[in-house]
Amino acid sequence: MTAEEAGRRPREAPESAPGSPGGGVVLALDAGNSKTDVAVADVAGTVLATVRGPGFQPHRYGLAEAVSRLDRLVVRALGVAGRPAPVRHAAVCAANADLPVEEHRLQEEIGTRGWAASVAVANDTFAVLRSCTAAADAVAIVCGAGINCVGRNRDGRTVRFPALGRITGDWGGGAGLAEEVLWWSVRAEDGRGPHTALAAAVASHFGRGTATDVALDLHLEVLAGDRVHEAVPLLFAVAEGGDAVARRIVDRQAEEIAALAVSALTRLDLAGPEGPEADRPVDVALGGGVLAARPEQLLTGIRTRIAAHTSHARLRIADVPPIAGAVLLALDQLAAAAEPGAAGAAVSAAAESRVRDAFRPAAAAGTGGA
């Protein structure tokens, strides 16, 4: 077990900070496809412990077993914090909970585990959104292993997409990009497609004679299937070198991300060039490993395409990981429950600053507003 998996205890905190709404702690989970982060924080925003473990994959293990694996991480995190109770609220942001019915089933299963006095479950895209912005008018697109989008406006409306892959109109994310890299590379080698430097880059990276050899070894499981995602950084490197095929793939990804953003903005009445929304900016938050790397061609393509539909959208890339957004959601939800009549009750500026400061060193180098 690594030190990160075992958990870290960033700092000590008083039982109840001045001005905080009572004592106790909140629990936050960012349960992604490839990894799960768990954090414990007090109500004043001091992060007491973080733990990292395997991804959340109910489609592979079944819902009950997948939640049991989360449960072990929660127990470990509370132990590292040295504050096992009371946990006042838990915010669980999970991949593979793409539909409201899936969120409901997950919430019911978590409710049997007794993690907290109250629990709120949402798709992990909401953690990315909150990690980037607290703005009432905002849209978030996650481009990691897959692709997803959510949005909200100050009237309290939200929009989302099924995000079930091609059967619901989705393309992109790391899996889609990697598949395209191999598709074009093999076709270049056997004469069905144009020449592309992607083929040589793939063969060299994986230590094979050809990209076709890489594809065959993936099929035969000589290479682990999850290694296919290593083709994504190759795509952006080759595109930067001017390769026409690679640049077309990146442009297609920009088109898909912009299409999600514009659709969400339009459905929320935030995309019009005129009207009451025109004098206020709308945040478009970008998250996930593909976007966190800040590939210049991709970001430029997204920005240009969105600007063609609205002039007041601003791209935001968080300088903290999604788990920070999950902690902030937990604190927001706790504040809203304490003030049920106050629309949009949110964590204090001081608490938000503490959360962001706690996670900023763990964020990828070079991230920030775009």
Side-chain angles (χ1 to χ4, degrees), residues 47-261:
V47 177
L48 305 172
T50 62
V51 163
R52 173 168 290 181
F56 177 66
Q57 299 180 353
H59 55 286
R60 180 176 180 183
Y61 302 112
L63 183 60
E65 174 58 23
V67 172
S68 291
R69 292 172 183 236
L70 295 182
D71 188 64
R72 292 193 281 272
L73 293 175
V74 167
V75 170
R76 190 189 307 163
L78 291 171
V80 172
R83 298 272 296 281
V87 180
R88 298 180 61 189
H89 181 69
V92 181
C93 299
N96 301 304
D98 297 302
L99 306 176
V101 65
E102 292 171 327
E103 292 176 342
H104 178 70
R105 290 170 181 166
L106 178 55
Q107 181 144 348
E108 284 192 330
E109 183 65 32
I110 289 173
T112 68
R113 309 303 172 115
W115 290 355
S118 60
V119 176
V121 171
N123 181 264
D124 60 343
T125 310
F126 285 98
V128 170
L129 178 60
R130 188 61 180 88
S131 72
C132 289
T133 181
D137 297 323
V139 165
I141 300 98
V142 172
C143 188
I147 192 166
N148 201 354
C149 175
V150 299
R152 66 183 180 217
N153 69 9
R154 64 185 59 200
D155 296 330
R157 284 188 293 143
T158 61
V159 298
R160 57 196 300 172
F161 297 80
L164 302 179
R166 291 187 63 84
I167 62 171
T168 53
D170 309 301
W171 177 87
L177 294 175
E179 185 178 72
E180 288 293 303
V181 168
L182 284 167
W183 196 87
W184 286 101
S185 295
V186 172
R187 289 174 70 90
E189 289 176 345
D190 65 22
R192 287 179 292 169
H195 169 79
T196 173
L198 289 170
V202 168
S204 175
H205 175 79
F206 288 97
R208 301 299 193 268
T210 65
T212 304
D213 292 335
V214 174
L216 294 176
D217 281 353
L218 286 166
H219 172 72
L220 296 171
E221 299 182 345
V222 176
L223 286 170
D226 57 3
R227 289 198 62 192
V228 70
H229 294 285
E230 296 173 24
V232 177
L234 303 178
L235 167 65
F236 292 110
V238 171
E240 285 181 8
D243 183 83
V245 170
R247 293 188 70 82
R248 283 200 299 270
I249 298 171
V250 175
D251 281 342
R252 182 184 177 192
Q253 181 72 94
E255 186 69 41
E256 289 293 321
I257 292 170
L260 284 167

